[in-house]
Amino acid sequence: MSAMRVLLVLPLLVMGGVAATAAVGPPDGSTPEQQTAIAGDPPFVARTLTLTNVPRGTRPARSLFNGRDLSGWDSWLGYDDPARTYAPNPGAPIGLNHDSTGVFSVVMQDGAPALLANGRIFGALVTKKAYANYHLHVEFKWGEHQWTPMPRNNGILYHSHGAYGAFFGTWMQAVEFEIVPGSVGMLLGVGDSRRAHGFEDVAWNVGARVAAGHDPAIAYPHRRFMVGGTLAAVKFPAYNVDAATNAEKPLGQWNALDLYVVGNRSVHVVNGVPVLVAQDLSSADGHGTRPRPLTSGRIQLQSEGAETYFRNISIEPIDHLPTVSGP
């Protein structure tokens, strides 16, 4: 799910021998339809972006992690063997609040309490409450272990809504603030696969629009956030836009993530660097239905194949977004 361009291919090839008849891999730009979707994108030009007019909370920030336990969160786990996630007829997921193996736990890390998502089983911690118009602050760092051959992988799923496990039995529909090396801050939509027989059948019904430029150095759809770029629709087959720059710190160091959301618009910030602005966040009920503005939802912290620590998780209400600009 995170970094779909990687994750939906590798389980078919390397994770526990899942049959090649599972999900079809993600678009790679090899078809006329896929090429047409990105044909109007201008060349990506790297710019130094600045963040100004940063909002102050309209009320004091409150912590979403008390440092002792998982109060305020639910857990949802997918399949006991992650290799089944994208297989046909995978059976029933582990489900709601049945984390008997400690996929999520509170640990001490660098002298302070942190949430650990150990990554062995795919799933998420989900806030019990839904939120709108907020600034979310989260710090993360990678742990030592990763359990799949794919790159380290995690994410913050915001405006999460609908059924638990709608996406391959594991995550709710949402907008994703991607956490993967080299692409922290990427945006993609997490849809509904409950009636799907393969990748292309998924109801990619969570969308957005992001100003983007064409960067051939990255995987299809070759889109990076770019001030002044084409206002591109994030929808299948061009289902993500990468961060404008890699602002992640070296492996083993803590990173600060800031997500600003007002209505159906959002700003992604990594270690103080603005990396993406989105507008027209939307959701639909399924294929062919009219999308509606997506303005609120729950927050999911993922477990997805690699140890990840989270700390200093706080949220505060805001009444405007910061301004992102570049030369």
Side-chain angles (χ1 to χ4, degrees):
M1 194 280 308
S2 299
M4 285 186 218
R5 66 188 189 277
V6 175
L7 181 55
L8 290 179
V9 175
L10 287 178
L12 312 184
L13 304 178
V14 296
M15 291 178 59
V18 176
T21 55
V24 175
D28 59 6
S30 61
T31 71
E33 176 196 14
Q34 293 165 18
Q35 288 297 316
T36 298
I38 61 172
D41 294 355
F44 174 75
V45 178
R47 296 184 171 95
T48 300
L49 301 180
T50 58
L51 192 72
T52 57
N53 191 30
V54 178
R56 302 184 66 174
T58 57
R59 294 192 301 275
R62 76 179 189 87
S63 177
L64 295 181
F65 171 47
N66 63 19
R68 301 182 304 276
D69 55 34
L70 302 180
S71 297
W73 300 83
D74 289 319
S75 69
W76 177 272
L77 295 178
Y79 305 98
D80 52 5
D81 178 2
R84 295 164 53 203
T85 304
Y86 305 102
N89 304 314
I94 295 171
L96 183 65
N97 294 326
H98 289 297
D99 185 7
S100 61
T101 61
V103 174
F104 301 104
S105 61
V106 178
V107 299
M108 294 297 293
Q109 185 67 201
D110 297 331
L115 290 177
L116 171 62
N118 71 23
R120 287 182 178 271
I121 295 175
F122 292 177
L125 280 180
V126 188
T127 57
K128 291 180 179 293
K129 295 181 179 180
Y131 297 95
N133 302 332
Y134 59 82
H135 165 213
L136 175 71
H137 177 82
V138 180
E139 295 173 14
F140 90 93
K141 79 167 187 175
W142 298 112
E144 178 182 356
H145 299 292
Q146 59 187 100
W147 313 109
T148 66
M150 66 188 183
R152 286 180 166 85
N153 205 338
N154 210 297
I156 298 171
L157 308 184
Y158 62 97
H159 285 2
S160 303
H161 60 284
Y164 290 106
F167 193 80
F168 290 100
T170 307
W171 296 288
M172 299 172 75
Q173 298 167 83
V175 181
E176 180 163 10
F177 186 128
E178 178 68 272
I179 302 175
V180 70
S183 294
V184 177
M186 173 194 286
L187 180 142
L188 47 85
V190 179
D192 185 346
S193 68
R194 287 175 293 174
R195 296 175 178 83
H197 301 288
F199 190 84
E200 294 189 0
D201 295 332
V202 173
W204 298 104
N205 51 353
V206 176
R209 293 200 296 167
V210 177
H214 179 85
D215 182 355
I218 60 176
Y220 183 87
H222 313 298
R223 282 176 167 166
R224 285 195 184 277
F225 171 68
M226 183 175 74
V227 172
T230 296
L231 195 57
V234 180
K235 64 179 182 179
F236 191 85
Y239 52 79
N240 68 41
V241 176
D242 211 336
T245 188
N246 178 16
E248 184 181 7
K249 294 182 179 179
L251 186 69
Q253 296 186 25
W254 288 97
N255 296 269
L257 308 182
D258 291 281
L259 168 65
Y260 298 90
V261 182
V262 173
N264 63 341
R265 299 175 296 144
S266 63
V267 175
H268 296 188
V269 180
V270 179
N271 294 316
V273 178
V275 298
L276 188 138
V277 178
Q279 66 184 65
D280 301 326
L281 306 179
S282 64
S283 182
D285 292 329
H287 291 294
T289 62
R290 185 178 181 86
R292 59 186 180 277
L294 183 57
T295 60
S296 65
R298 298 161 74 179
I299 297 164
Q300 302 177 82
L301 301 179
Q302 286 188 299
S303 169
E304 195 177 2
E307 285 184 329
T308 313
Y309 297 95
F310 298 99
R311 71 178 187 186
N312 295 335
I313 307 168
S314 64
I315 195 166
E316 62 181 355
I318 58 175
D319 58 10
H320 69 273
L321 291 178
T323 300
V324 176
S325 57

